[in-house]
Amino acid sequence: MTITIFGVLVALIGGILMLRASMLTMLVFVMMTTLLGGSAAFYLSTGSSVLPSIEAVLLLTIRCIMPTHRPNGALRTALDANLPLLLFVIYGVAGALVLPIIFAGAMDVAPLRPVFTPDPFATIPLSFTPQNLTSAGYLFTTMLGAVCAFVAVQSRGAEARVARAGAVVGITHATLGFVGIAATGTPLTAVFDFFRNALYNQVDQEIGGLARMNGIFAEASNFAAYGFVYFVFATEMWLRGIDRRWTGSASLVLVLALVVSTSTTAYVGLAGYAAILLLRKILFPGTIPLTNLVAIMLGVLCAAVAILSLFVVRPESLKIVDLVYRMMVVNKSESESALVRIMWAKQGIEAFWISGGLGVGVGSFRSSSLGTAILGSMGVIGVATFAAQTLRVLKPLKQSTYLRTGDARIDVGAAATWTVVAMSIPSFVSAPSPDPGLNWGLMVGIALGLRRVSGTQHFSGNFEKKELLATG
């Protein structure tokens, strides 16, 4: 194992914070390190690399288990709140060690770590590989993120710190994306390449001469998936009146970055989230306050005017937009990339049946959907526990899930709740493994931790639901 400059920096800063700062400050630090999505803190002998955020969350975990540095009973409460996730991870880690051996050779799979070959449809016999261990490790850190975030937000004023941190992370991410495009072909690209040192396939792409936005991430789809997380978080907080100057700015700059990114992941996420907002607006009118609705409509109108003006001033830009639309939407389903992704998704279903519903182990194959990745890797148990954890986070029978309460702590928690739900949308059409990721884990912990004590009413019958609608 070899440590990089980022690993050294995270160790130094994280070590100081672990000894001198609060758990909440360390949580904010972990959120900041997730910006380094294309960086490596360590190079492993297996040919894999470890993200700086993984190192940071391990330091947060050490702080979390120190009995003198956490609220009494908070760790046990966090474990209880995340019980379905604990079962999900325990089965996933155990299965990664055992299931690939049990079902070795039962099917041919596209490995999680790409095999560089001219044939994109190339497969190898199912077997135990180092990727099983690596994937199990990442899955475990997702759970650590959820548990430690839960404990950290028990601090007084946590909602304000988390809200501001989320906005700052989002603005920083979008800014890096725009600067990265502007720097294309200039010496400044060396700075971005310095950050992109992970052992991934670092991809710089262009469409019609237009550089795709990836910031300091490995590729445009990863950039978009990360940006979508903080776009939803910022937008949900803005809708609830939380730190509106910062969250509104973050939401605006992130949606612009997602649109410009030319990533299918971004477009699928935005379309899905728009559908969620529309459904919530219909069922619970108070979801989007009138002032926010007017601001959204004005923003859409201004964007439309700006785009039309651009087409008038620079007619050639219309050709680029048409090219992007045809490549990313019209012809996407017929492209080789789409066919490969369909194959990856289907092998999750095949693995489920071959294993008799047990799964063939986390890290055993590459998927293109979180759903089929969980189904094929962890079987019935994985699907059931993941669904149970999602429902536990959503709290569908609580009024605070849908409407602003005026309690900042609960409202920021609800914003994190919808982030957990919405970020699964692009994952279900792009995720390569059953690990929902550290950002998912952090948002789960923030949502459950901030909403742990809630004075909002529950509703289960028609009368109570009608009453809730009336309050909107």
Side-chain angles (χ1 to χ4, degrees):
M1 183 173 68
T2 305
I3 191 169
T4 72
I5 181 63
F6 300 109
V8 172
L9 290 175
V10 170
L12 289 175
I13 298 173
I16 293 172
L17 294 177
M18 186 171 61
L19 296 175
R20 303 183 63 87
S22 65
M23 277 198 65
L24 182 57
T25 299
M26 287 201 71
L27 173 61
V28 172
F29 174 64
V30 173
M31 292 172 67
M32 294 298 180
T33 60
T34 61
L35 282 165
L36 301 172
S39 306
F42 297 94
Y43 297 128
L44 302 180
S45 57
T46 58
S48 302
S49 54
V50 178
L51 292 167
S53 56
I54 300 300
E55 181 185 4
V57 83
L58 292 177
L59 293 174
L60 175 62
T61 302
I62 295 174
R63 177 63 184 272
C64 185
I65 62 179
M66 295 169 64
T68 59
H69 290 85
R70 66 171 188 270
N72 291 331
L75 183 56
R76 172 171 291 184
T77 304
L79 294 172
D80 290 341
N82 289 284
L83 180 59
L85 178 59
L86 294 178
L87 297 176
F88 177 80
V89 172
I90 290 171
Y91 183 75
V93 172
L97 301 177
V98 176
L99 295 174
I101 298 175
I102 295 176
F103 298 105
M107 62 180 290
D108 289 340
V109 297
L112 184 59
R113 186 172 180 82
V115 176
F116 297 102
T117 171
D119 182 9
F121 298 92
T123 58
I124 60 175
L126 173 67
S127 63
F128 182 84
T129 69
Q131 286 304 305
N132 293 109
L133 297 176
T134 302
S135 299
Y138 274 105
L139 190 64
F140 188 71
T141 56
T142 296
M143 180 195 70
L144 294 180
V147 172
C148 293
F150 184 104
V151 176
V153 298
Q154 301 311 306
S155 306
R156 179 173 298 179
E159 65 278 7
R161 292 279 299 280
V162 168
R164 179 63 62 85
V168 170
V169 168
I171 292 172
T172 303
H173 179 67
T175 301
L176 288 170
F178 286 117
V179 174
I181 288 181
T184 301
T186 72
L188 189 58
T189 56
V191 177
F192 284 80
D193 291 339
F194 171 75
F195 283 94
R196 301 168 66 199
N197 70 324
L199 297 179
Y200 306 132
N201 187 21
Q202 305 283 356
V203 180
D204 292 308
Q205 297 173 320
E206 291 185 358
I207 296 180
L210 177 68
R212 299 187 69 191
M213 185 179 290
N214 53 15
I216 55 176
F217 276 66
E219 58 180 347
S221 61
N222 293 340
F223 175 91
Y226 181 88
F228 180 69
V229 172
Y230 281 94
F231 162 70
V232 175
F233 190 42
T235 302
E236 290 290 336
M237 290 191 290
W238 176 70
L239 291 174
R240 289 168 171 77
I242 303 296
D243 204 1
R244 295 188 65 173
R245 179 179 299 178
W246 281 90
T247 58
S249 298
S251 176
L252 177 61
V253 72
L254 279 167
V255 74
L256 292 175
L258 291 172
V259 171
V260 174
S261 70
T262 69
S263 169
T264 305
T265 299
Y267 300 152
V268 169
L270 290 173
Y273 182 56
I276 289 175
L277 286 180
L278 179 60
L279 184 62
R280 282 163 53 190
K281 181 63 178 176
I282 294 173
L283 297 178
F284 309 104
T287 291
I288 305 179
L290 181 59
T291 54
N292 297 79
L293 184 61
V294 171
I296 292 173
M297 294 175 65
L298 287 175
V300 172
L301 179 61
C302 290
V305 171
I307 292 172
L308 291 175
S309 300
L310 177 64
F311 291 160
V312 172
V313 176
R314 299 189 61 182
E316 66 275 13
S317 61
L318 184 59
K319 296 181 180 179
I320 297 177
V321 172
D322 178 64
L323 177 62
V324 171
Y325 174 74
R326 284 188 286 107
M327 291 185 64
M328 305 305 296
V329 180
V330 177
N331 299 328
K332 185 71 174 181
S333 61
E334 301 175 359
S335 66
E336 183 179 85
S337 173
L339 295 176
V340 171
R341 288 179 176 275
I342 291 172
M343 183 202 74
W344 289 345
K346 285 183 177 179
Q347 65 183 1
I349 300 174
E350 182 183 355
F352 175 80
W353 291 114
I354 286 178
S355 65
L358 294 175
V360 296
V362 174
S364 294
F365 66 92
R366 185 177 186 85
S367 184
S368 60
S369 167
L370 181 64
T372 59
I374 294 174
L375 187 69
S377 301
M378 303 172 66
V380 174
I381 295 176
V383 172
T385 51
F386 184 82
Q389 182 70 22
T390 301
L391 283 175
R392 182 166 289 199
V393 173
L394 180 59
K395 301 183 187 298
L397 301 182
K398 279 201 169 184
Q399 177 177 338
S400 60
T401 298
Y402 311 98
L403 302 176
R404 175 181 176 181
T405 67
D407 183 329
R409 187 173 183 86
I410 296 172
D411 286 338
V412 174
T417 291
W418 283 108
T419 304
V420 170
V421 173
M423 68 186 292
S424 297
I425 296 172
S427 295
F428 271 85
V429 296
S430 63
S433 79
D435 175 25
L438 178 58
N439 282 304
W440 184 89
L442 294 176
M443 289 297 169
V444 164
I446 291 170
L448 291 173
L450 291 179
R451 300 180 71 190
R452 181 168 68 94
V453 179
S454 172
T456 54
Q457 72 178 77
H458 294 253
F459 61 93
S460 55
N462 291 333
F463 171 79
E464 291 177 338
K465 187 171 182 178
K466 290 179 180 178
E467 183 179 60
L468 174 59
L469 288 170
T471 64

